[in-house]
Amino acid sequence: MPVYVENRQIVVPGELIADKNRFRVEGKVYERDGRYYSKVLGVAYIDQENRRVNVLTLKGKYIPSPGDLVIGKVVEVGLTNWIVDINSPYPAILPLNEVFSKPTSIPRSELSKILDVGDIIAAKVIAFDYARDPLITIKETRLGKIPQGIVVEIPPSKVPRIIGRKGSMVNMIKELLGVELIIGKNGRIVIVGKDRAKAELAALVIRKIEREAHTSGLTDRVREFIMEKLNEIGGGSNEG
Amino acid sequence: MKGSVQLIDENGKRVDGRYPNELRRLRIEAGVLKNADGSAMIELGNNKIIVAVYGPHEAVPKYMAEPDRAVIRCRYSMAPFSVDERKSPSPSRREVELSMVIRQALEPAVFLNEYPRTMIDVFIEVLEADGGTRTASITAAAVALADAGIAMRDLVSAIAVGKVGGRLVVDLNGLEDQYGEGDMPIALMPQLNYVTLFQADGVFTPKEVEDAFRLVSEPIKKVYREQKRALKKKYEDVVREVEKGE
């Protein structure tokens, strides 16, 4: 076998993953002398059927990519734009013309009335090429300021686990807890729910998924966890 | 003064009872700090060092940013209580130099080109010092960088070789460092077998340098294994806990 790791094995930078032949090696790896080595502290997933090895990182910052939905926090109001923190080494720029669809003539000094420092927004990355800071927009539907909710931050590499296969994990959380989740690719998740206790429980659930992201059978365990905690909440309110 | 202290006895044992090729007790723990992006603590004999890594983040001040790669900023600092007599908290000439030397030992291991225009901060705080802090700092900093999720070619493992009583010994302690005839810190990427730091203080013959590299290969592997164990522990513990619950 040209693969030197087991399925779901934790690997460190420089650890030998596989020889360069029949297996396709993807993810955070680099090649040297016909062999693949891990680039990061991560997990190696082996797909025997398709003869593929994928190395996913366990931590790390968000690198913007056009088309991504991100949750940002306004950190600066400029003269013609806003600077938004998107949990990345690169601060995002939200220009005025990506906020209004029509040309508007609002006084420059009143920009902070539309979005102020500290506001949380859902935005979409339109362009990023490392040479310049990423551009984001809020002009599409369902983008823009998020008035209320709980923000939870996790490593961006674990976002796919929160979503689950074809959205199985988010849908389960939404269904069981009656909350709405806005999941940013940058690892920020906004939980919006009328019931405060359930929204807080959703935050706990996300923390649990983050911690156990590299284990198997996660969806079932999360379902059990939610049911258990829901009983606790239910029992508490009955007494009161 | 030099030479008047016997550092190695007739049985070949050193002042602390170690053999020439024996390391002091080594323990590394990753992820010890919550606020930092990555962190590590190392204990090597009496040395105790904490390393925190922040980043990659936006370069501040902006003029330090490089258009094609990340910049590593490194600060090695000794706590006032880390040595016998109180050390002044202001950075000494030695600390400024070590900061640079450690940075240069780490840079070859990091894929700096993956993070253009950014900055990676490495803070090294020596809580207790007893010889070989620069090598221990490099070892811990490599773990902290990996713990932060930064892309690297390999870890960096470091250990010092020294000369006491005319013999080459590995991993000098404070006493041997002070009264010995020479100190030669070596850092390398163990998988790639690249040397990233090589210094020498004292007089060594060319043959002794060659012998030093041979002598160091086994202890370096030990350091590397401990680094790997420390990095994986946090995640493997979760796996074990989950499997036990089922």
Side-chain angles (χ1 to χ4, degrees), chain B residues 19-62:
Chain B
Y19 288 106
N21 61 348
E22 201 178 333
L23 282 180
R24 286 173 282 179
R25 194 184 67 90
L26 171 67
R27 202 178 68 90
I28 303 173
E29 200 179 326
V32 288
L33 303 174
K34 203 166 159 271
N35 285 345
D37 293 314
S39 59
M41 177 160 96
I42 184 167
E43 288 174 69
L44 178 65
N46 293 333
N47 289 310
K48 193 175 275 183
I49 300 163
I50 287 193
V51 181
V53 168
Y54 286 83
H57 58 75
E58 203 186 343
V60 269
K62 270 224 158 98

Side-chain angles (χ1 to χ4, degrees), chain A residues 30 32 39 90 130 211 214, chain B residues 114 116-117 152-153 235:
Chain A
Y30 69 97
R32 189 174 57 91
K39 254 185 195 180
Y90 309 97
Y130 286 103
R211 209 174 92 87
H214 55 291
Chain B
E114 291 218 351
R117 296 191 298 125
M152 295 165 83
R153 266 168 265 271
Y235 299 100

Side-chain angles (χ1 to χ4, degrees), chain A residues 61-209:
Chain A
K61 293 266 161 103
Y62 171 68
I63 301 297
S65 165
D68 282 1
L69 174 75
V70 293
I71 309 290
K73 187 176 154 194
V74 179
V75 286
E76 208 181 303
V77 183
L79 287 175
T80 57
N81 59 22
W82 288 266
I83 311 287
V84 183
D85 164 39
I86 52 167
N87 192 25
S88 160
Y90 309 97
I93 295 175
L94 176 62
L96 197 55
N97 61 343
E98 291 298 341
V99 176
F100 301 104
S101 32
K102 281 179 249 158
T104 38
S105 57
I106 64 152
R108 296 289 182 243
S109 57
E110 306 222 324
L111 249 60
S112 63
K113 285 193 177 152
I114 304 152
L115 285 173
D116 204 356
V117 171
D119 284 353
I120 302 291
I121 59 167
K124 199 177 213 174
V125 181
I126 23 184
F128 179 61
D129 65 355
Y130 286 103
R132 277 176 211 205
D133 287 332
L135 275 181
I136 56 172
T137 182
I138 58 169
K139 238 162 42 179
E140 288 168 36
T141 47
R142 296 210 302 221
L143 298 181
K145 190 169 160 182
I146 303 171
Q148 54 164 330
I150 305 173
V151 181
V152 185
E153 221 173 271
I154 62 164
S157 59
K158 292 181 179 175
V159 167
R161 287 299 259 171
I162 301 285
I163 295 167
R165 196 166 290 156
K166 286 182 189 150
S168 60
M169 191 73 91
V170 244
N171 290 337
M172 184 181 75
I173 298 171
K174 281 180 186 171
E175 239 169 70
L176 291 176
L177 293 170
V179 293
E180 201 45 52
L181 295 182
I182 309 167
I183 301 176
K185 278 266 173 66
N186 59 339
R188 288 206 186 118
I189 297 156
V190 183
I191 305 161
V192 189
K194 286 194 190 90
D195 188 338
R196 178 138 190 109
K198 283 186 179 171
E200 277 169 10
L201 176 52
L204 272 183
V205 170
I206 288 166
R207 281 270 164 262
K208 184 183 170 68
I209 300 171

Side-chain angles (χ1 to χ4, degrees), chain B residues 68-83:
Chain B
D68 59 337
R69 63 187 177 91
V71 174
I72 296 186
R73 210 163 40 167
C74 180
R75 193 188 76 159
Y76 167 97
S77 136
M78 286 175 103
F81 51 83
S82 64
V83 279

Side-chain angles (χ1 to χ4, degrees), chain A residues 222-233:
Chain A
V222 169
R223 185 190 301 276
E224 250 172 60
F225 178 78
I226 295 176
M227 293 320 241
E228 199 181 295
K229 291 281 173 187
L230 270 180
N231 277 336
E232 278 174 29
I233 298 173

